[in-house]
Amino acid sequence: MSSSNVNHLSQPCIYERKSRFMKWLSKIFKSGAGSSRGVSTGEEQPQFIGDENMVWRAPFRSLDDRPRANKEKEELDRAIALSLTEDLKRPNGYRWRTETDDDLARSLRDSFNSAPYPSYTPREYYPRGYRTCAGCKREIGYGNYLGCMGSFFHPECFRCHACGYPITEHEFSLSGRDTYHKSCFKELTHPKCEVCHQFIPTNGVGLIEYRCHPFWSQKYCPSHEHDYTSRCCSCERLESVNTRYYSLGDGRSLCLECMESAIMDTGDCQPLYHAIRDYYEGMNMRIDQQIPMLLVERQALNEAIEGEKHGFHHMPETRGLCLSEEQTVTSILKRPRMERRGLVGIRTQPQKLIRRCEVTAILVLYGLPRLLTGAILAHELMHGWLRLNDYRNLRPEVEEGICQVLSHMWLESEVMPTSRNNIPSSSTASTSSSSSTWSYGPSTSSYGPSTPASSTSSSSKKGGKSSVENKLGEFFMHQIAHDASPAYGGGYRSAMAAVNKYGLRRTLDHIRYTGTFPE
């Protein structure tokens, strides 16, 4: 140790302030490292310890059987004691023991007093096969498996909720807890055009844009409004690629559902026409004059409109007309035959209409379903009733509005005969649960229902209307109620509000004297 002191003093500039205690520590750890690298040849190899110029032989393996931790603790205590003795022998100016040495000694002592190895908590043991498949509810066992949404699956059990086939792609769609192929999910959620049956394309900003009919909810691509796709002239639905519409030969097309109850010639329409006259008689609004009724083609109706001097007509399509002037009109005499290319064999006949009263005739487009034809007849007969009963110079919204009310009432009696008590239809007499609300008559006593002598609708003869025909009737009522035109739509809503509040008779009386609806 004297040589070491000499080195410290003779070379104070490079002395690293190593005390006797630190040297002992270096000796301990270096010797431990050397012993762990044992030599297989059995020959003792020299080892250099610390920064001293001394050669030490690697220590032989101790024969002491005490635990290594106890032996290292004793060596540490001995090193600390020797270091303290050395410091006491030095002059005051050469005591190199510092607070750092004390702190290091305490930390080392604590580390040796603690457990020789860090604490180890064994993880929970899971035997292979403990995972349960969320699909088949069996243990997965050995082999591949998938993990998704906190569950495990056999690869063949991870299936699409729509098609039932396994999902093998790297990407899939998720809705709630249900998994889907991306293609299957698109089939379920991306809207398809009900005309071309293709996915509705996105617009310029990446949004799905489509048109939807307000009643039928038929979704279709916006392009079909301009690509000459056929539209039914009755129910307004577009023709799809897997259906076929019938052409009526005058620019109109008719779907199969509307064709089922279409009225094609004047003779077929006569029972319906007389049934609606009976409907008016049941409300004490009898029409005594025999007004001719003709079914005509589109061109003949347009020509009659041109020849009429007065009257408001619903554009762009007029389906009926109450004539007041004498004209020659071409009517449908014989119904056409349905063939693959459309309707053929239609026979027409010119007919001279002579004015014998304020109303010359009632014209209706041919080829429309029975309920739509009846609604048009009810509307035009109301025009005739107003003229025959001296209702003059009415504004369009008043006259057309009250005519639409009668059309809607007749449809309601046909489509929902049990929605009101005693509603007059083609075979009954009253139009409302309160007969005083709907029936019209010259005195208070006429508010009660009156039954016509004979009244039988064509649908009654056929055993009632089908659900398809009833749905068409609901659509025609929807058309009347939601018409956007000021005269037909706005007039109907004002007239219906007055009738609901004051009844039909008081409303008609108010119109006669003031030309307006009661407020």
Side-chain angles (χ1 to χ4, degrees):
M1 284 195 288
S2 60
S3 62
S4 176
N5 289 334
V6 172
N7 283 337
H8 289 317
L9 294 176
S10 62
Q11 301 179 11
C13 295
I14 61 174
Y15 182 61
E16 299 182 7
R17 297 174 60 92
K18 285 192 177 181
S19 64
R20 177 64 176 261
F21 169 67
M22 298 301 295
K23 294 174 184 177
W24 272 93
L25 288 180
S26 299
K27 177 181 177 182
I28 291 171
F29 289 116
K30 291 293 184 177
S31 63
S35 62
S36 64
R37 296 188 298 267
V39 182
S40 58
T41 59
E43 182 181 353
E44 297 181 6
Q45 299 294 331
Q47 296 188 3
F48 295 93
I49 301 177
D51 294 329
E52 303 177 39
N53 294 324
M54 298 179 64
V55 178
W56 292 73
R57 295 291 181 181
F60 292 102
R61 181 179 179 85
S62 174
L63 298 177
D64 195 348
D65 292 333
R66 289 177 299 169
R68 179 178 176 180
N70 292 340
K71 290 189 288 184
E72 289 178 349
K73 182 178 179 182
E74 290 179 2
E75 290 181 0
L76 178 62
D77 292 339
R78 180 183 176 191
I80 292 173
L82 290 175
S83 178
L84 291 174
T85 302
E86 181 185 77
D87 290 339
L88 290 175
K89 292 179 181 180
R90 289 180 178 175
N92 291 337
Y94 296 95
R95 295 185 63 179
W96 299 103
R97 183 170 179 83
T98 63
E99 294 180 0
T100 305
D101 294 337
D102 295 335
D103 295 337
L104 181 60
R106 281 193 296 271
S107 62
L108 287 172
R109 185 182 295 110
D110 293 340
S111 65
F112 279 110
N113 288 334
S114 62
Y117 299 101
S119 60
Y120 171 74
T121 303
R123 291 182 296 177
E124 186 177 356
Y125 173 70
Y126 296 102
R128 300 196 60 151
Y130 78 95
R131 298 181 180 87
T132 301
C133 176
C136 64
K137 308 303 181 184
R138 298 177 181 177
E139 286 189 354
I140 292 179
Y142 296 93
N144 296 331
Y145 64 93
L146 302 175
C148 179
M149 302 175 293
S151 302
F152 302 103
F153 298 86
H154 293 109
E156 65 275 9
C157 295
F158 190 63
R159 295 176 177 268
C160 175
H161 190 70
C163 68
Y165 287 98
I167 300 175
T168 57
E169 296 83 357
H170 292 292
E171 294 182 356
F172 60 95
S173 298
L174 189 66
S175 178
R177 300 285 297 179
D178 297 330
T179 54
Y180 298 87
H181 291 110
K182 293 185 69 176
S183 58
C184 294
F185 191 73
K186 184 177 181 180
E187 287 280 350
L188 290 175
T189 59
H190 192 113
K192 269 190 173 182
C193 175
E194 296 179 28
V195 175
C196 63
H197 298 288
Q198 302 297 320
F199 288 115
I200 296 177
T202 56
N203 58 16
V205 295
L207 300 177
I208 300 174
E209 179 183 357
Y210 59 86
R211 302 289 183 266
C212 183
H213 193 279
F215 182 83
W216 303 108
S217 299
Q218 184 187 37
K219 299 181 180 66
Y220 54 91
C221 304
S223 59
H224 296 313
E225 292 186 336
H226 314 289
D227 62 1
Y228 303 104
T229 299
S230 297
R231 185 187 295 270
C232 179
C233 65
S234 170
C235 66
E236 298 182 346
R237 285 176 288 189
L238 291 174
E239 181 183 23
S240 65
V241 294
N242 56 4
T243 60
R244 187 168 62 90
Y245 284 10
Y246 286 96
S247 173
L248 297 178
D250 54 5
R252 295 179 297 149
S253 298
L254 206 63
C255 71
L256 297 179
E257 291 184 358
C258 292
M259 179 64 76
E260 286 181 2
S261 61
I263 298 179
M264 290 296 182
D265 59 42
T266 302
D268 287 345
C269 193
Q270 292 303 319
L272 178 62
Y273 176 54
H274 290 294
I276 296 173
R277 288 175 63 101
D278 292 341
Y279 175 84
Y280 272 78
E281 186 176 353
M283 291 190 298
N284 296 312
M285 298 172 65
R286 181 183 175 89
I287 301 174
D288 293 323
Q289 289 79 358
Q290 295 300 317
I291 304 173
M293 187 280 303
L294 302 175
L295 255 60
V296 298
E297 292 181 293
R298 193 181 197 180
Q299 182 179 356
L301 184 62
N302 291 334
E303 291 173 355
I305 292 173
E306 293 294 331
E308 187 72 2
K309 293 181 180 178
H310 60 84
F312 185 86
H313 309 293
H314 194 14
M315 293 298 177
E317 180 70 54
T318 300
R319 294 168 170 173
L321 179 64
C322 183
L323 278 178
S324 298
E325 306 293 333
E326 291 188 356
Q327 293 190 34
T328 300
V329 177
T330 302
S331 64
I332 305 295
L333 182 63
K334 182 181 178 182
R335 64 181 300 141
R337 301 188 311 274
M338 288 187 296
E339 293 187 358
R340 182 178 298 274
R341 63 180 182 272
L343 299 177
V344 296
I346 187 170
R347 184 183 300 178
T348 61
Q349 176 182 349
Q351 186 168 344
K352 177 68 175 180
L353 298 175
I354 300 174
R355 179 175 179 177
R356 295 185 173 89
C357 60
E358 291 296 323
V359 181
T360 304
I362 291 176
L363 308 181
V364 179
L365 271 177
Y366 92 100
L368 299 177
R370 192 191 74 87
L371 288 178
L372 180 55
T373 303
I376 297 170
L377 284 172
H379 178 101
E380 301 303 333
L381 273 174
M382 188 60 189
H383 278 298
W385 187 92
L386 292 172
R387 295 177 191 178
L388 293 172
N389 288 273
D390 205 27
Y391 285 76
R392 302 287 182 179
N393 302 319
L394 297 178
R395 298 199 316 271
E397 59 270 21
V398 175
E399 183 171 353
E400 300 297 342
I402 196 65
C403 291
Q404 287 289 77
V405 166
L406 267 295
S407 178
H408 190 278
M409 287 168 55
W410 181 82
L411 279 171
E412 187 177 9
S413 71
E414 291 288 315
V415 175
M416 297 178 287
T418 59
S419 62
R420 300 176 186 264
N421 295 326
N422 303 321
I423 295 179
S425 67
S426 336
S427 57
T428 56
S430 173
T431 61
S432 172
S433 57
S434 172
S435 57
S436 61
T437 301
W438 296 108
S439 64
Y440 174 83
S443 64
T444 305
S445 62
S446 67
Y447 283 135
S450 60
T451 306
S454 68
S455 172
T456 306
S457 68
S458 60
S459 63
S460 300
K461 294 179 181 179
K462 296 177 182 178
K465 293 176 290 295
S466 66
S467 59
V468 172
E469 190 175 2
N470 277 335
K471 192 66 176 178
L472 285 174
E474 293 175 12
F475 167 67
F476 302 142
M477 293 169 60
H478 176 273
Q479 273 189 315
I480 295 173
H482 296 86
D483 197 313
S485 66
Y488 285 77
Y492 162 79
R493 288 182 282 274
S494 299
M496 182 58 81
V499 170
N500 285 331
K501 186 175 183 180
Y502 299 105
L504 182 59
R505 180 188 177 222
R506 290 182 60 187
T507 300
L508 288 172
D509 287 344
H510 194 278
I511 293 173
R512 179 194 296 273
Y513 296 121
T514 66
T516 61
F517 298 122
E519 297 294 335

